[in-house]
Amino acid sequence: MIVSTLELCREAELCKYDFTVEKCSGDCWVRIRREGKSQFCSQWFSSSSEDRPLLVILPGYDAVFPSYPMDEVTEDFNVLLVSPLGYTERNAAVDPLKIKGEFPVLFNTVFDKPNAYDQWILDVLTAIRWAREHTTANCEKLLFFGTSQGGGMSLVLSGILSDKCKAVCADEPWLIGFSSDMLETVISNASYYFPNEILSYSGASERLALTDPITYAGKLTVPKLIMAGSKDTDCPADRIKRFFDTLPEPKDYFLFEERAHGHDIRAFRKAINFFRKSI
């Protein structure tokens, strides 16, 4: 089903959800379940001061987060790490949800199956709603960060919530052009996971547009930092730079020399410093 971002935002605000909180030392595991949907797990780090902005960190395609040094962050920000669709439990991958060794959210989107990226986005929006309703975080000041899929979806969520987002950092962002010039490659890869399925190319393109950062480029008017790695073959630096060149100001671009694809603590720290300067 093809939905609009307005419909997603409306559903996130109106849906019924329940949650549990498991307190740990310095953080909490928050398990949220929208009515009729699977539970998903988020990690919450509360700022030492009230009314601080909410930094939302989104996962790569493996759905598991690295060990970020949150003690360097929580003086200035509340932090919510969201892993949608139940793909992790306490940051460990739930392998039975994989198909042929991969989580299927992209392939579900291509072939219009359940638990596609529209539901992924709804989980993130619901987690932000939870933070607004049950914490002292200032959810009128949102910040987004992620690597790979998390980088691409940080740009997407910043576009969807452009009235509340104050800055975004996208590290080695994935999903760029998946609804257009990368469509053939995306469909070819998806067909390995769902062979012999009937597919509408135009329908796949429309569904993928929901999660393509290019769709939201004109709305990304907040301060933004886009990072790339010179040795990244999954999200090549030249593709990221071409996308960056289309974005409105204010914007910054940084290329890590000799860096391949994947999480890098240098990118995280660079993002945090950028957020401090931007708000």
Side-chain angles (χ1 to χ4, degrees):
M1 179 182 295
I2 298 168
V3 297
S4 70
T5 57
L6 182 61
E7 289 174 311
L8 290 176
C9 290
R10 184 184 298 114
E11 183 171 345
E13 287 301 310
L14 295 178
C15 72
K16 295 179 180 179
Y17 72 91
D18 56 50
F19 69 94
T20 61
V21 176
E22 178 187 350
K23 293 185 178 180
C24 304
S25 57
D27 66 298
C28 297
W29 292 101
V30 183
R31 296 173 180 85
I32 301 172
R33 186 193 308 273
R34 290 185 288 118
E35 188 173 50
K37 301 297 180 180
S38 299
Q39 173 181 279
F40 66 95
C41 197
S42 299
Q43 196 171 10
W44 168 255
F45 295 85
S46 181
S47 175
S48 54
S49 303
E50 291 190 4
D51 202 42
R52 294 296 188 184
L54 177 62
L55 168 57
V56 181
I57 301 181
L58 302 175
Y61 203 76
D62 65 358
V64 177
F65 292 102
S67 296
Y68 293 120
M70 290 303 172
D71 57 324
E72 300 177 12
V73 181
T74 51
E75 181 178 346
D76 298 305
F77 310 111
N78 296 283
V79 184
L80 185 63
L81 294 85
V82 186
S83 186
L85 298 180
Y87 284 174
T88 64
E89 170 54 36
R90 288 181 65 95
N91 208 31
V94 180
D95 288 335
L97 294 179
K98 294 180 178 179
I99 295 176
K100 297 182 180 179
E102 295 282 354
F103 287 121
V105 60
L106 175 63
F107 322 128
N108 289 344
T109 304
V110 170
F111 285 101
D112 200 15
K113 292 181 176 293
N115 295 320
Y117 268 122
D118 59 337
Q119 299 302 309
W120 196 103
I121 292 170
L122 268 172
D123 279 354
V124 177
L125 295 175
T126 306
I128 294 171
R129 177 183 164 192
W130 170 86
R132 187 185 75 234
E133 294 177 347
H134 298 283
T135 78
T136 62
N138 187 343
C139 294
E140 295 299 312
K141 291 184 177 180
L142 298 176
L143 311 167
F144 289 95
F145 170 74
T147 296
S148 189
Q149 173 188 250
M153 292 305 286
S154 289
L155 295 166
V156 169
L157 267 296
S158 298
I160 292 173
L161 297 175
S162 58
D163 58 329
K164 295 179 175 61
C165 179
K166 302 306 177 186
V168 56
C169 290
D171 179 38
E172 297 185 329
W174 196 54
L175 298 165
I176 294 171
F178 276 27
S179 66
S180 54
D181 62 305
M182 291 288 292
L183 181 62
E184 289 280 352
T185 299
V186 173
I187 289 174
S188 176
N189 291 338
S191 296
Y192 168 75
Y193 297 90
F194 293 117
N196 305 316
E197 294 275 353
I198 298 174
L199 173 69
S200 162
Y201 272 49
S202 61
S205 178
E206 288 184 64
R207 290 187 293 276
L208 288 166
L210 180 69
T211 59
D212 190 333
I214 291 174
T215 303
Y216 304 90
K219 290 187 173 183
L220 299 177
T221 57
V222 298
K224 51 206 154 290
L225 170 62
I226 313 295
M227 294 178 279
S230 68
K231 299 293 187 180
D232 188 348
T233 56
D234 292 328
C235 303
D238 58 346
R239 166 171 285 273
I240 293 172
K241 183 60 166 61
R242 287 196 301 271
F243 169 73
F244 171 82
D245 289 341
T246 69
L247 297 175
E249 297 286 351
K251 59 183 179 179
D252 289 284
Y253 175 81
F254 188 84
L255 178 68
F256 288 95
E257 296 293 344
E258 303 301 315
R259 179 189 170 191
H261 191 72
H263 294 287
D264 190 313
I265 190 61
R266 297 173 300 168
F268 176 75
R269 289 191 166 119
K270 197 168 188 65
I272 297 305
N273 289 333
F274 177 80
F275 288 141
R276 289 190 174 115
K277 294 175 183 177
S278 298
I279 61 170

